[in-house]
């Protein structure tokens, strides 16, 4: 981590000839509660111990100059450009956040920024939200604004919805802003209130990366969200007072199964079931019942694969391998889908053997060596680099 920060400071000095301040925003994992956030449901994310860093220094004008060491790219634009259009690349996440911060009433200073990170891009670990949040935190701080973390999460989500064009929910931005080290959070995506959920320290959360990168998944994602809206529209003529699938019980859904096309019904069945599973999983973890939490994670995967149809062959393969291994409580795909990582709840004494077996069996089946990572929930976004900055300036 220190080396990333030192490299970032050095790159900033080389590009912009002065010393930056550093900010860091983490990626996320999610134990359970997938595709429920934009249905006003519950999710159970935690911050990953991998992040995106933003190095920043103010400019006297209203320009933003952005450099990404990850993408090896430089982009410049003017905060006062009245006709800002997305470019279809990484810079849209930052530009979108700047635009929506200003629309929310924050007057931003121009700035030079350099980004780097150790969070893989496109792996379903929410690098996009980490870019947004690190940029938002950095821009607000150098502009002298107070930061309300929930407000920042909402503005970052708005940027992704309306500037980037992905109609994502609030989970990724919320956890990147508000994570608590050492815990997952049970987040109510309607009220945006959360409570800590402690995972028995005997268990490990192990991420296995299929190395399939989810290209073109945005269209499929937006289509799923539309299916959910169609289900709500059909049900709201029959059930009074509902505004999201969160408000629908399983019995109600079954009663009105004929009110919607079969595919829409299956999407709704996933969401209604997943919200219930997430609440049960939180109760199971509270009670120290890892078996039950794992069982619910397995059901979550099956539902994402069969009803929501956002898995892929490589994710299913990893889940099958995991489930045949002793000491694995549960295994499922994580995040939006169509590639990326699985999350596995594994007995701590078996985690090492599990990682080895997974790597071997996945490589044998696909020819690809999968990165495997044990995750310890980390803190949310914030200033970084104090140690690195002191070290560099002392040279
Ligand atoms: C992506 C989105 C989130 C959430 C997940 C699926 O990560 O950004 O808002 O919908 O997919 O649970």
């Amino acid at each position: 981590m220190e080396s990333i920060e030192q490299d970032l400071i050095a790159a900033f000095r080389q590009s912009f000839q002065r010393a930056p301040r550093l900010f860091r925003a983490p990626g996320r994992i999610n134990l359970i509660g997938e595709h429920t956030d934009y249905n006003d449901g519950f999710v159970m994310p935690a911050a990953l111990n991998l992040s995106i860093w933003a190095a920043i220094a103010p400019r006297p004008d209203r320009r933003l100059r952005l450099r990404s060491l990850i993408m090896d790219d430089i982009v410049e634009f003017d905060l006062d450009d009245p006709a800002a259009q997305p470019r279809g690349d990484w810079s849209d996440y930052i530009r979108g956040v700047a635009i929506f911060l200003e629309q929310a009433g924050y007057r931003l200073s121009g700035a030079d920024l350099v980004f780097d990170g150790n969070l893989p891009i496109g792996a379903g670990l929410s690098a996009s939200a980490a870019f947004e949040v690190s940029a938002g935190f950095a821009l607000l701080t150098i502009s002298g604004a107070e930061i309300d973390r929930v407000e920042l999460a909402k503005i970052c989500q708005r940027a992704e919805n309306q500037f980037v064009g992905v109609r994502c929910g609030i989970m990724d931005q919320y956890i990147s802003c508000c994570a608590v080290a050492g815990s997952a959070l049970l987040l109510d995506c309607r009220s945006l209130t959360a409570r800590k959920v402690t995972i028995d320290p005997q268990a490990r959360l192990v991420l296995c990366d299929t190395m399939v990168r989810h290209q073109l998944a945005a269209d499929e994602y937006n289509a799923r969200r539309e299916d959910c809206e169609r289900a709500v529209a059909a049900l709201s003529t029959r059930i009074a007072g509902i505004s999201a699938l969160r408000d629908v019980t399983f019995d109600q859904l079954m009663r009105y199964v004929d009110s919607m096309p079969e595919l829409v019904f299956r999407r709704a069945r996933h969401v209604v079931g997943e919200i219930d599973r997430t609440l049960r999983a939180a109760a199971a973890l509270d009670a120290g019942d890892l078996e039950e939490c794992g069982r619910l994670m397995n059901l979550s995967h099956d539902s994402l694969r069969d009803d929501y149809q956002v898995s892929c062959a490589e994710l299913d393969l990893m889940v099958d391998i995991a489930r045949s291994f002793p000491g694995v409580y549960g295994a499922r795909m994580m995040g939006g889908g169509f590639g990326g990582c699985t999350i596995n709840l594994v007995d701590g004494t078996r985690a090492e053997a599990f990682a080895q077996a997974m790597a071997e069996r996945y490589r044998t089946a696909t020819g690809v060596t999968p990165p495997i990572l044990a995750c310890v929930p980390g803190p949310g976004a914030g200033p970084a680099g104090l140690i690195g900055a002191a070290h560099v300036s002392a040279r």
Side-chain angles (χ1 to χ4, degrees):
M1 196 176 280
E2 261 188 39
S3 142
I4 287 192
E5 295 181 353
Q6 286 168 9
D7 291 351
L8 188 54
I9 291 167
F12 192 96
R13 285 178 177 276
Q14 189 219 352
S15 297
F16 300 121
Q17 291 76 49
R18 59 202 198 283
R21 295 175 69 175
L22 296 197
F23 297 86
R24 182 197 58 82
R28 65 104 188 83
I29 61 168
N30 186 25
L31 266 88
I32 190 163
E34 222 63 90
H35 290 276
T36 50
D37 58 353
Y38 52 84
N39 290 293
D40 279 3
F42 291 84
V43 292
M44 205 195 292
L48 185 59
N49 37 344
L50 300 175
S51 297
I52 298 290
W53 277 259
I56 189 165
R59 294 170 55 86
D61 57 17
R62 292 268 293 160
R63 293 193 73 70
L64 288 188
R65 285 196 293 178
L66 314 177
R67 178 175 172 204
S68 166
L69 302 183
I70 306 169
M71 261 62 83
D72 193 17
D73 191 20
I74 297 183
V75 178
E76 268 196 63
F77 55 86
D78 201 307
L79 284 166
D80 293 320
D81 180 353
Q85 289 299 322
R87 292 163 43 109
D89 64 18
W90 66 278
S91 68
D92 292 345
Y93 297 103
I94 293 112
R95 189 170 196 179
V97 168
I99 290 170
F100 282 91
L101 281 171
E102 290 239 319
Q103 276 191 16
Y106 297 97
R107 175 77 179 171
L108 299 181
S109 159
D112 294 327
L113 288 123
V114 180
F115 295 89
D116 198 5
N118 53 11
L119 188 56
I121 310 287
L125 301 174
S126 210
S128 48
F131 263 108
E132 292 157 6
V133 171
S134 65
F137 225 100
L139 286 167
L140 285 173
T141 306
I142 63 146
S143 305
E146 290 275 313
I147 296 173
D148 177 302
R149 287 170 182 265
V150 176
E151 162 95 350
L152 177 58
K154 283 159 83 175
I155 291 171
C156 290
Q157 181 201 15
R158 207 173 299 148
E160 190 153 342
N161 288 176
Q162 296 181 34
F163 194 70
V164 178
V166 179
R167 299 182 63 210
C168 64
I170 191 71
M171 170 169 68
D172 304 353
Q173 292 81 3
Y174 182 96
I175 198 68
S176 190
C177 286
C178 303
V180 177
S183 295
L185 295 182
L186 178 67
L187 169 64
D188 178 337
C189 298
R190 173 169 278 166
S191 66
L192 294 186
T193 52
R195 75 160 173 91
K196 287 197 271 183
V197 178
T198 305
I199 301 152
D200 185 330
Q202 288 194 8
R204 295 281 174 283
L205 294 169
V206 183
L207 301 182
C208 302
D209 187 349
T210 59
M211 294 297 283
V212 176
R213 296 300 178 242
H214 48 63
Q215 308 285 342
L216 305 175
D219 290 348
E220 291 290 339
Y221 186 95
N222 290 346
R224 294 302 179 285
R225 189 163 177 167
E226 270 167 37
D227 289 342
C228 293
E229 287 163 356
R230 289 171 72 193
V232 173
L235 292 167
S236 59
T237 61
R238 291 159 177 92
I239 311 166
I242 65 162
S243 61
L245 284 174
R246 150 80 172 268
D247 303 315
V248 178
T249 66
F250 205 74
D251 287 348
Q252 287 172 323
L253 182 64
M254 295 311 292
R255 195 175 322 143
Y256 300 117
V257 55
D258 295 330
S259 68
M260 61 191 87
E262 202 229 332
L263 195 64
V264 171
F265 166 73
R266 285 167 61 187
R267 305 297 191 236
R269 184 167 60 183
H270 164 72
V271 173
V272 172
E274 184 79 354
I275 292 172
D276 182 55
R277 283 188 287 275
T278 305
L279 292 171
R280 284 173 194 264
L285 287 171
D286 289 344
D289 190 346
L290 293 166
E291 304 273 351
E292 173 64 1
C293 181
R295 187 184 74 82
L296 293 160
M297 290 170 72
N298 288 341
L299 289 173
S300 165
H301 181 81
D302 297 350
S303 173
L304 288 158
R305 179 191 61 208
D306 300 336
D307 273 352
Y308 223 62
Q309 297 179 300
V310 290
S311 189
C312 66
E314 293 84 351
L315 286 166
D316 294 343
L317 172 67
M318 276 192 160
V319 163
D320 287 346
I321 295 171
R323 287 183 189 172
S324 70
F325 196 82
V328 174
Y329 297 108
R332 63 176 204 85
M333 57 152 279
M334 189 181 74
F338 304 106
C341 295
T342 62
I343 181 165
N344 302 267
L345 186 66
V346 185
D347 181 324
T349 63
R350 306 305 303 255
E352 193 62 36
F354 165 71
Q356 274 180 25
M358 173 61 79
E360 269 170 40
R361 291 185 206 170
Y362 188 76
R363 185 171 48 235
T364 304
T366 64
V368 173
T369 303
I372 295 177
L373 176 79
C375 168
V376 179
L386 298 175
I387 301 166
H391 185 83
V392 167
S393 57
R395 266 193 216 153

